[in-house]
């Protein structure tokens, strides 16, 4: 019987490190998974239940976008009575009249028409329509005929 106990003892002693490694991996794996889940939750937190952007917030974002692209003298016009132009900006000796559209559907010809009319009112040399979405084929055709710059997908 002593021999049996010794063998069992040796078996336990030899297997003990493997049990500890298995236990540590299990514990660390659970801890690691929990830590990663927690960090992922922190990353997603600012985006959780985020309300859709308003038109005025989008205009501000587009103004920042234009500044990053090298435009200067970027000004957001007043919210009402702006004759269809939301932003005026300068670049390469030209003055731009910018119409912003934050839509869930493709932007139609009305935005292009507003940009053309507002361009004259603000004394601009170029007209531009910026959207987070895309443009309808009719809007693209009208813009091409009137020299209006279309920027799609600006978020």
């Amino acid at each position: 019987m002593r021999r049996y106990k010794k063998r069992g003892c040796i078996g336990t002693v030899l297997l003990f490190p493997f049990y500890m490694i298995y236990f540590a991996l299990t514990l660390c794996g659970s801890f690691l998974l929990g830590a990663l889940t927690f960090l992922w939750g922190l990353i997603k937190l600012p985006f959780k239940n985020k309300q859709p952007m308003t038109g005025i917030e989008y205009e501000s974002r587009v103004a920042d976008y234009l500044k990053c692209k090298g435009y200067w003298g970027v000004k957001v016009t007043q919210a009402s009575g702006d004759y269809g132009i939301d932003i005026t900006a300068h670049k390469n000796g030209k003055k731009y009249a910018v119409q912003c559209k934050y839509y869930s559907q493709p932007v139609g010809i009305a935005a292009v028409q507003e940009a053309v009319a507002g361009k004259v009112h603000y004394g601009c040399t170029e007209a531009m329509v910026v959207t987070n979405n895309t443009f309808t084929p009719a809007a693209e055709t009208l813009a091409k005929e009137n020299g209006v710059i279309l920027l799609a997908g600006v978020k």
Side-chain angles (χ1 to χ4, degrees):
M1 262 195 102
R2 259 186 182 187
R3 238 193 211 178
Y4 180 74
K5 284 185 179 177
K6 282 185 179 178
R7 226 184 261 158
C9 184
I10 291 173
T12 306
V13 170
L14 288 176
L15 292 177
F16 182 73
F18 294 107
Y19 286 127
M20 290 306 296
I21 291 170
Y22 173 76
F23 178 72
L25 287 176
T26 305
L27 182 65
C28 289
S30 299
F31 175 75
L32 214 59
L33 182 63
L36 290 174
T37 305
F38 175 73
L39 290 174
W40 181 250
L42 285 179
I43 291 169
K44 287 176 53 178
L45 188 63
F47 304 105
K48 202 173 203 176
N49 298 326
K50 186 167 177 137
Q51 296 297 318
M53 193 182 312
T54 66
I56 294 171
E57 290 171 336
Y58 186 65
E59 291 169 12
S60 176
R61 182 167 292 177
V62 171
D64 292 340
Y65 173 82
L66 293 174
K67 288 175 189 174
C68 289
K69 294 298 180 181
Y71 291 81
W72 56 274
V74 178
K75 294 179 186 169
V76 178
T77 62
Q78 60 187 5
S80 61
D82 60 8
Y83 295 92
I85 297 303
D86 301 312
I87 301 169
T88 59
H90 298 83
K91 187 175 183 180
N92 299 331
K94 297 178 182 178
K95 185 176 179 184
Y96 292 83
V98 183
Q99 169 68 264
C100 302
K101 294 294 180 187
Y102 186 72
Y103 281 3
S104 57
Q105 299 173 357
V107 177
I109 61 172
V112 177
Q113 293 169 337
E114 290 175 7
V116 170
K119 174 178 107 170
V120 175
H121 177 75
Y122 282 96
C124 297
T125 55
E126 302 290 331
M128 182 186 308
V129 181
V130 181
T131 184
N132 62 312
N133 210 310
T134 59
F135 294 95
T136 63
E140 291 176 356
T141 302
L142 186 62
K144 187 175 181 181
E145 292 171 352
N146 287 284
V148 177
I149 300 164
L150 301 180
L151 292 178
V154 177
K155 306 207 184 229

